[in-house]
Structures are given as C-alpha cells and as structure tokens.
Amino acid sequence: MFDSQDQYSEQLVKGKAGGGEISKIVIAALVITAGMVVTTMTGLGLFVIAGGIAFLIYSIRAMKFEYEYIIVNGDIDLTKIIAMQKRKPLRSIPQDSITAMDRADSAKTQNDMEVGDCDVYDYTDGTEESPVYAIYTVNKGKTEIHLLQLSEKSLEQMKFVLKKRSLI
C-alpha cells in the first residue's frame, strides 16, 4: 500500500518493433503462400491459409506496444502493454538492487555496453527524442543494464532515492 510519504511516478513509453516482430510477419506471409500451394493439391490448404491469416493479424497487433514504468520509492516495475489490451509484466527492480544510475550516452555506460560483459535490456522507444538513462543491477553475479526513458519527475525521484549511486 502507498503511504502519504511515498514517492510515485508512472509513465508510458511507446515501444519500437524489433526484428522478432517483423520476422513473425514474414513467417505468416510464408505460411499463407504455402497454404495457397497446398490448396491446389488438397483441401487442407484452406486451413493453413486461415491459420496464416490469424497469425498475421496477431503479429501485426503485437507490433503496437508500450512500456509502462511504475516507480515507487525507487522500486521500478516494468510492464509491456501489447495493442493497448494485454499486459505482460517484464521485470521488477527493487531500489536496493540498483548499483548505479547514469546517462546511457555517458562514456562509462557506452564502454560497459560495448565490452559485452553485461546484459543490456532496452525499454525505450528507440528514438533519441528524450534522454535515456542506464540503471545498473547485478543478477546472479552478472551486471545488467536497463535502458529507460525517464520523465523529469521519475528522474528526480530516482536521483533522490539513489543518492550516491546516481552518477548524474
């Protein structure tokens, strides 16, 4: 439950379709094409075409998604909202597990991402319209970097909660 002293912020960031979503559309198109070929040989092709069309519609709808950030006292909950209907919880990051916060374009963060010693999770819209921040955590001994586009309110809250762990 929320206390009157809790710091809370919530925001939505439109996601950008990656290669996985686009490859699903290509696969659906190939299934529909295969169904047309099979239709000329047997009646089962109509079922293949119907399945391909259903998968194509699903894939197109899945390309429209948003990331929701809910931050309460530095604890971050990340959710993916698909086609404004389905919510898929992605990750919860307790503030005490955050080792550092920095700008994603800083030399340190760029170096950490290029070296490849850490896992990088991108929860941004893929544009450079608003600043991107890197949240560092450690999971099972491996450093993780979570890229977020924090609003001004969310950024100020995180800087206040993280204090010395914020490199901004």
Side-chain angles (χ1 to χ4, degrees):
M1 262 315 135
F2 296 118
D3 186 339
S4 63
Q5 300 299 315
D6 285 342
Q7 293 187 5
Y8 174 85
S9 65
E10 179 177 355
Q11 74 182 86
L12 292 173
V13 174
K14 290 200 180 290
K16 183 177 181 186
E21 287 85 5
I22 294 170
S23 64
K24 289 178 185 176
I25 291 176
V26 171
I27 291 170
L30 291 174
V31 169
I32 292 170
T33 305
M36 290 179 187
V37 171
V38 173
T39 300
T40 60
M41 295 181 240
T42 71
L44 293 176
L46 295 176
F47 292 111
V48 174
I49 291 173
I53 290 172
F55 187 64
L56 179 65
I57 291 169
Y58 168 79
S59 299
I60 290 172
R61 292 182 75 198
M63 288 181 68
K64 298 175 184 166
F65 66 91
E66 299 173 314
Y67 294 113
E68 178 183 56
Y69 311 154
I70 296 177
I71 304 173
V72 179
N73 297 330
D75 296 336
I76 305 171
D77 287 323
L78 301 168
T79 304
K80 184 176 185 179
I81 302 172
I82 303 168
M84 294 188 285
Q85 294 176 351
K86 183 180 176 188
R87 300 176 66 82
K88 179 181 177 186
L90 297 175
R91 187 167 302 243
S92 288
I93 305 171
Q95 71 92 10
D96 57 355
S97 73
I98 298 173
T99 57
M101 179 176 78
D102 199 0
R103 290 185 62 92
D105 60 0
S106 74
K108 176 192 180 327
T109 302
Q110 290 297 314
N111 184 52
D112 290 343
M113 290 191 297
E114 289 172 10
V115 170
D117 288 343
C118 53
D119 295 330
V120 179
Y121 300 95
D122 190 350
Y123 305 107
T124 67
D125 66 6
T127 67
E128 297 181 17
E129 293 177 14
S130 58
V132 176
Y133 299 94
I135 305 292
Y136 284 77
T137 61
V138 176
N139 185 16
K140 297 179 183 170
K142 179 119 173 144
T143 300
E144 297 178 336
I145 299 175
H146 307 275
L147 301 176
L148 306 174
Q149 286 177 298
L150 299 175
S151 67
E152 198 61 39
K153 179 181 177 184
S154 299
L155 177 62
E156 290 306 314
Q157 176 187 345
M158 292 302 293
K159 284 167 49 175
F160 176 77
V161 171
L162 296 177
K163 297 185 184 359
K164 293 182 180 179
R165 292 178 282 168
S166 174
L167 305 175
I168 300 170

